[in-house]
Amino acid sequence: MSQISVLLADDDPGILEAIADFLSWRGISVDCARTGEQALELSRQQHHDVLVLDVMMPGISGFALCQQLRQLGVTTPILLLTALDQVSDKVTGFSAGADDYLVKPFAMDELVCRIEALSRRVSRQQLRLLHFGPLELDVEQQQARRDDVPLQLTPQGFTLLRHLIAHAPRVVSRRELEQAIWGDEPPDSDALRSLLYQLRAQLDKPFDSAMLHTRRGSGVYLQLPDAPKTAETP
């Protein structure tokens, strides 16, 4: 099993450092955030296998952050950490889109077990189905749909969309896309441009709003239809 990558958010520096050190010692890669705003930005910039969020953070709370991430189409498993142990608090967390809930104080070994379980769960799901908003990819059948409308994609077009969904809503560089599609021997630069044009014709043109966008000098990314546009699409 490949190394698990975790985004850990907690406003208490002592708790943040202690958990991060223990997870690192157990072989888990950790990115840290002190606020909900930092966690939101990191989760949009990088891919993580599991998000571990403290509930009582200043600014954006763990509950609110969880809800915002789900509204953005982020499907990464979320584990909430909190001292709030009432059933109503847990209901609030799960209603916001959390996958698991761990009450403080907790044993570090239990936290690791829960992270590993969430990572295995999403790994099994990703073996077949990928989702991002109205998009669904069946990896086994090599089929893609938007709003239940089948998309007619070539094998390379399917690979391209699969990579974009797996990392959505992060901006994916053109070099990374070429590596995912053609490996170490990509063709000339027009090949990716042509493939993106073909994908856009299937993914966006038949619909009222675009999901495939480019950011000049950075790369390509998927965005939910109702999200505010933040990139230029030539």
Side-chain angles (χ1 to χ4, degrees), residues 9-170:
D10 196 306
D11 65 304
D12 186 314
I15 293 177
L16 187 67
E17 182 178 0
I19 296 177
D21 286 348
F22 188 85
L23 294 182
S24 297
W25 177 66
R26 292 293 295 268
I28 296 173
S29 173
V30 185
D31 288 324
C32 295
R34 289 282 303 276
T35 66
E37 289 82 359
Q38 289 178 354
L40 180 61
E41 186 64 23
L42 281 172
S43 66
R44 298 171 79 172
Q45 292 176 352
Q46 303 177 36
H47 169 75
H48 300 92
D49 297 306
V50 180
L51 309 180
V52 181
L53 311 176
D54 180 50
V55 169
M56 304 300 288
M57 290 187 291
I60 304 177
S61 70
F63 289 148
L65 176 57
C66 183
Q67 189 171 38
Q68 286 189 38
L69 289 169
R70 295 308 186 220
Q71 290 172 347
L72 287 169
V74 176
T75 59
T76 306
I78 295 176
L79 168 61
L80 292 178
L81 303 178
T82 181
L84 304 175
D85 59 358
Q86 298 298 310
V87 172
S88 59
D89 298 316
K90 296 181 181 181
V91 169
T92 298
F94 288 122
S95 298
D99 298 274
D100 202 356
Y101 197 103
L102 189 57
V103 177
K104 299 176 180 179
F106 52 82
M108 289 290 195
D109 284 334
E110 182 179 1
L111 174 61
V112 171
C113 287
R114 288 176 183 251
I115 289 173
E116 290 176 342
L118 289 173
S119 178
R120 286 194 300 269
R121 182 193 307 174
V122 74
S123 295
R124 288 194 298 268
Q125 291 171 343
Q126 287 176 347
L127 288 176
R128 177 167 183 185
L129 296 178
L130 290 176
H131 293 89
F132 182 67
L135 282 178
E136 178 182 287
L137 262 66
D138 187 321
V139 177
E140 288 184 0
Q141 301 297 322
Q142 294 283 292
Q143 295 175 349
R145 306 172 71 89
R146 175 176 174 180
D147 292 322
D148 289 328
V149 177
L151 307 180
Q152 304 302 319
L153 303 177
T154 65
Q156 289 180 342
F158 186 89
T159 300
L160 171 61
L161 184 57
R162 176 182 177 180
H163 196 82
L164 288 170
I165 288 181
H167 296 86
R170 177 172 71 82

Side-chain angles (χ1 to χ4, degrees), residues 70-75 130-137 144-149 151 153 160-172 177 196 199-215 219-234:
R70 295 308 186 220
Q71 290 172 347
L72 287 169
V74 176
T75 59
L130 290 176
H131 293 89
F132 182 67
L135 282 178
E136 178 182 287
L137 262 66
R145 306 172 71 89
R146 175 176 174 180
D147 292 322
D148 289 328
V149 177
L151 307 180
L153 303 177
L160 171 61
L161 184 57
R162 176 182 177 180
H163 196 82
L164 288 170
I165 288 181
H167 296 86
R170 177 172 71 82
V171 177
V172 183
L177 290 175
L196 287 168
L199 176 59
R200 186 170 284 115
Q202 287 290 320
L203 178 63
D204 290 340
K205 287 190 176 180
F207 301 92
D208 293 333
S209 55
M211 294 187 68
L212 181 62
H213 300 274
T214 61
R215 181 170 296 167
V220 185
Y221 72 108
L222 291 175
Q223 184 169 271
L224 293 178
D226 55 354
K229 184 178 177 182
T230 59
E232 302 171 1
T233 305

